[in-house]
Amino acid sequence: MTPSSEPTFLKVVLTHFVPCFFVGAILLLAAKQAGLPDLLPQNGVGDLAGGALNGLAVAGLITVFHLRRNLTARRSAIGRVPVSRAFIRKAALAGFLGGAADVLLTTGSWTVLALSAIIWTILIWNLRAFIRRTEIMLRPGSVITWEDVGELLRIYLTTLIGFTLVNAALDGLHILAGAPPAFGFPDNGDSLVNALYFTVVTMTTLGFGDFVPRTGDAKGLLIIQSLLSYFMFALMVGIITRGVTGKRPSDRE
């Protein structure tokens, strides 16, 4: 990665926040299932301590991920480019922010609504990046690399994770407001896991029907989610079937 192509911190946050937020939520859930001390908000100092500890854990995981990715890239024969140390520092800070934000999930309906708005904003940015990148790759004569395919897959997975969080948040908001649940995920502490399962089933068009949208806003969200997943999946299949090369011609010189 050259200095001129070094992404800004804002771009790193936009690409890392949603996955890191999800990883942080999984860490909290795993800690709870393992019987470890509850890191969820405890008011005042407990909020800050729990958020900082979870943020540090996610920052450590994202740092290890990129270090291992760099090691794999140096050994790879398909043209992967290692990321810089500056990028890893930015990614670690983005991971800390995402992990720390998880403790806000149970502080109240307004906080959950604000987090959902942030996730929606990031999803829209990633979808725009997906459309721009696919438009370039579908041009006649364009050369598609595995790095391009990897970036499309990253955006697709970010979209899946983002919808998982939004689905879980919508169901939780209904419960907090005393309204009928949006999807009716079982109240057994695994709402995030159930939301992930529901999102994967929806975006892969399996549609088992064990969870269904029960309210108007949930049905509207499902319509958007289904159409976007069809659109993204079809474009990725079209791009891959055009053929993928290891490196761009300029990279081989």
Side-chain angles (χ1 to χ4, degrees):
M1 183 177 294
T2 62
S4 59
S5 63
E6 186 74 34
T8 63
F9 176 64
L10 177 60
K11 185 173 182 180
V12 174
V13 170
L14 290 170
T15 55
H16 284 69
F17 183 86
V18 169
C20 289
F21 188 90
F22 181 76
V23 170
I26 293 296
L27 287 178
L28 291 178
L29 179 61
K32 184 177 181 180
Q33 294 295 329
L36 297 178
D38 195 358
L39 297 180
L40 291 175
Q42 303 165 2
N43 299 321
V45 177
D47 293 354
L48 297 176
L53 186 58
N54 201 53
L56 288 173
V58 176
L61 288 175
I62 199 67
T63 300
V64 171
F65 169 80
H66 281 298
L67 288 175
R68 287 184 60 84
R69 184 175 180 273
N70 274 357
L71 184 61
T72 303
R74 294 188 181 97
R75 297 175 177 175
S76 175
I78 59 175
R80 292 180 179 174
V81 181
V83 296
S84 67
R85 292 183 179 180
F87 178 90
I88 294 177
R89 288 194 294 269
K90 294 174 185 176
L93 182 53
F96 176 82
L97 295 175
D102 280 293
V103 297
L104 301 176
L105 283 172
T106 60
T107 57
S109 57
W110 287 108
T111 307
V112 175
L113 190 61
L115 288 172
S116 298
I118 293 173
I119 293 171
W120 264 113
T121 302
I122 295 175
L123 279 179
I124 291 172
W125 182 88
N126 276 279
L127 288 171
R128 290 181 60 190
F130 182 93
I131 293 172
R132 287 196 301 267
R133 186 172 284 265
T134 52
E135 190 274 330
I136 293 173
M137 283 188 274
L138 288 174
R139 291 175 183 172
S142 61
V143 178
I144 304 168
T145 68
W146 285 112
E147 184 179 357
D148 294 323
V149 174
E151 179 62 12
L152 292 184
L153 182 60
R154 180 200 67 77
I155 297 175
Y156 184 81
L157 292 176
T158 298
T159 304
L160 188 151
I161 292 171
F163 275 118
T164 296
L165 296 171
V166 172
N167 288 338
L170 183 62
D171 204 59
L173 282 171
H174 276 249
I175 295 174
L176 287 172
F183 299 101
F185 300 137
D187 186 17
N188 55 5
D190 295 334
S191 60
L192 189 64
V193 175
N194 288 318
L196 174 61
Y197 164 77
F198 172 77
T199 305
V200 171
V201 167
T202 299
M203 292 187 66
T204 55
T205 71
L206 292 175
F208 291 134
D210 43 355
F211 295 126
V212 295
R214 301 180 178 182
T215 60
D217 51 356
K219 292 176 182 178
L221 177 61
L222 186 65
I223 290 173
I224 296 173
Q225 185 175 331
S226 300
L227 291 177
L228 282 176
S229 61
Y230 269 117
F231 173 74
M232 296 176 72
F233 187 74
L235 283 177
M236 285 195 297
V237 171
I239 288 170
I240 293 175
T241 53
R242 292 188 61 187
V244 182
T245 184
K247 297 182 179 181
R248 299 187 191 280
S250 59
D251 295 334
R252 301 193 189 100
E253 298 176 356

